[in-house]
């Protein structure tokens, strides 16, 4: 080597991002978004992070804790402001935001809908309970009694999750088919037993999730407003 020549510096690998609960959960959510809930295991998550799976137990005790953390992370994206606007406008906005959230993370929706069924209310992750607390506050401030506010919440979220699950279903059997009965697979239904459903094929084929949600929310809010006592005054 000539005396003036300098050795080329050796390239050093970029340091790994410091492991944290936030990194573990965001990576877990990305894995679920890409491959579904069944793909989320400690081993697979460790591979995604380039870490020993055993190191992840510092941030989640088990897979169930990972699922709870993913639920909290997704619901953290839902903004609820009990003190802003009138209660009907706020519930309508939350409904649209929750639908958008579900469309961004469709693989997480079954987790949000079914996982709470296996966990007592007081043992659920705090992040999954905050929407309940905030919506109860919104409704009580609007003049509903605490018990009525709970009834409203149950009807409201029951409708929302039902709509979201319905929208995420596969409606189209053959997207290349022009005839709506064939495209939706409704031609398989006996015509004499399902005349109304078959007749609705054109409406089913042009399903608009946002418009359908808004129509249902309007029906729900109109009924709920009728339950509110005329002399009820919003809390300051």
């Amino acid at each position: 080597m000539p005396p003036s020549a300098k050795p080329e510096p050796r390239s050093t690998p970029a340091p790994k991002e410091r492991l944290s609960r936030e990194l573990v959960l965001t990576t877990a959510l990305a894995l679920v978004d890409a491959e579904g809930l069944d793909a989320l295991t400690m081993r697979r998550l460790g591979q995604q992070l380039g870490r020993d799976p055993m190191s992840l137990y510092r941030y989640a005790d088990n897979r169930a804790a990972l699922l709870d953390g993913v639920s909290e992370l997704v619901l953290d994206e839902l903004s609820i402001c009990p003190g802003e606007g009138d209660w009907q406008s706020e519930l309508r906005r939350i409904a649209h935001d929750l639908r958008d959230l579900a469309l961004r993370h469709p693989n997480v929706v079954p987790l949000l809908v079914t996982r709470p069924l296996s966990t007592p209310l007081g043992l659920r992750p705090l992040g999954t309970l905050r929407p309940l607390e905030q919506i109860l506050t919104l409704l009580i401030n609007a003049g509903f009694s605490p018990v009525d506010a709970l009834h409203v919440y149950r009807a409201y979220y029951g409708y929302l999750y039902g709509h979201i699950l319905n929208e995420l279903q596969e409606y189209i059997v053959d997207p290349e088919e022009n005839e709506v009965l064939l495209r939706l697979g409704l031609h398989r239904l006996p015509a004499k037993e399902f005349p109304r459903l078959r007749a609705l094929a054109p409406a089913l084929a042009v399903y608009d999730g946002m418009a359908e949600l808004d129509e249902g929310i309007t029906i729900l809010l109109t009924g709920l407003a009728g339950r509110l006592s005329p002399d009820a005054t919003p809390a300051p």
Side-chain angles (χ1 to χ4, degrees):
M1 178 185 300
S4 60
K6 295 182 180 180
E8 293 184 2
R10 295 180 180 177
S11 60
T12 56
K16 291 181 179 179
E17 186 174 353
R18 183 182 179 87
L19 206 58
S20 64
R21 177 173 171 79
E22 181 182 4
L23 177 60
V24 168
L25 292 180
T26 54
T27 305
L29 175 57
L31 182 59
V32 170
D33 283 341
E35 302 181 27
L37 287 170
D38 290 342
L40 182 57
T41 65
M42 288 295 197
R43 180 181 296 277
R44 185 64 201 286
L45 184 57
Q47 292 174 349
Q48 291 292 105
L49 290 163
R51 307 298 177 97
D52 183 340
M54 295 303 295
S55 66
L56 305 183
Y57 286 94
R58 179 180 178 184
Y59 306 98
D61 291 340
N62 47 41
R63 184 176 184 272
L66 271 182
L67 295 175
D68 287 340
V70 167
S71 297
E72 288 188 289
L73 192 62
V74 169
L75 288 175
D76 279 346
E77 297 180 33
L78 184 65
S79 172
I80 300 176
C81 305
E84 295 184 10
D86 69 275
W87 65 276
Q88 295 188 61
S89 297
E90 183 65 7
L91 287 183
R92 188 181 296 276
R93 183 192 64 78
I94 294 168
H96 283 281
D97 286 354
L98 185 62
R99 173 182 176 268
D100 292 342
L101 188 66
L103 295 179
R104 289 198 302 274
H105 307 288
N107 290 336
V108 181
V109 170
L111 182 63
L112 299 179
V113 175
T114 62
R115 184 159 177 76
L117 299 177
S118 61
T119 309
L121 194 64
L123 299 181
R124 295 176 195 171
L126 297 182
T128 64
L129 291 175
R130 286 195 181 94
L132 168 56
E133 179 70 20
Q134 292 166 334
I135 289 177
L136 288 176
T137 300
L138 171 69
L139 293 169
I140 292 170
N141 287 347
F144 288 95
S145 72
V147 173
D148 282 345
L150 182 59
H151 291 323
V152 171
Y153 171 86
R154 287 170 174 163
Y156 174 71
Y157 257 77
Y159 167 72
L160 285 185
Y161 279 141
H163 168 84
I164 288 167
L165 289 173
N166 193 50
E167 184 172 354
L168 290 177
Q169 290 180 43
E170 290 291 337
Y171 284 93
I172 305 301
V173 174
D174 183 0
E176 304 300 323
E177 175 59 55
N178 291 324
E179 172 59 47
V180 290
L181 278 175
L182 298 177
R183 186 157 84 247
L184 298 175
L186 295 180
H187 60 287
R188 298 186 177 93
L189 301 180
K192 291 184 178 180
E193 294 182 43
F194 298 94
R196 298 188 188 281
L197 188 55
R198 287 170 60 104
L200 282 169
L204 291 170
V206 293
Y207 181 84
D208 183 335
M210 182 180 293
E212 195 72 22
L213 173 67
D214 222 29
E215 181 67 19
I217 285 292
T218 296
I219 294 170
L220 182 62
L221 293 179
T222 301
L224 292 176
R227 293 285 304 273
L228 192 58
S229 172
D231 57 356
T233 54

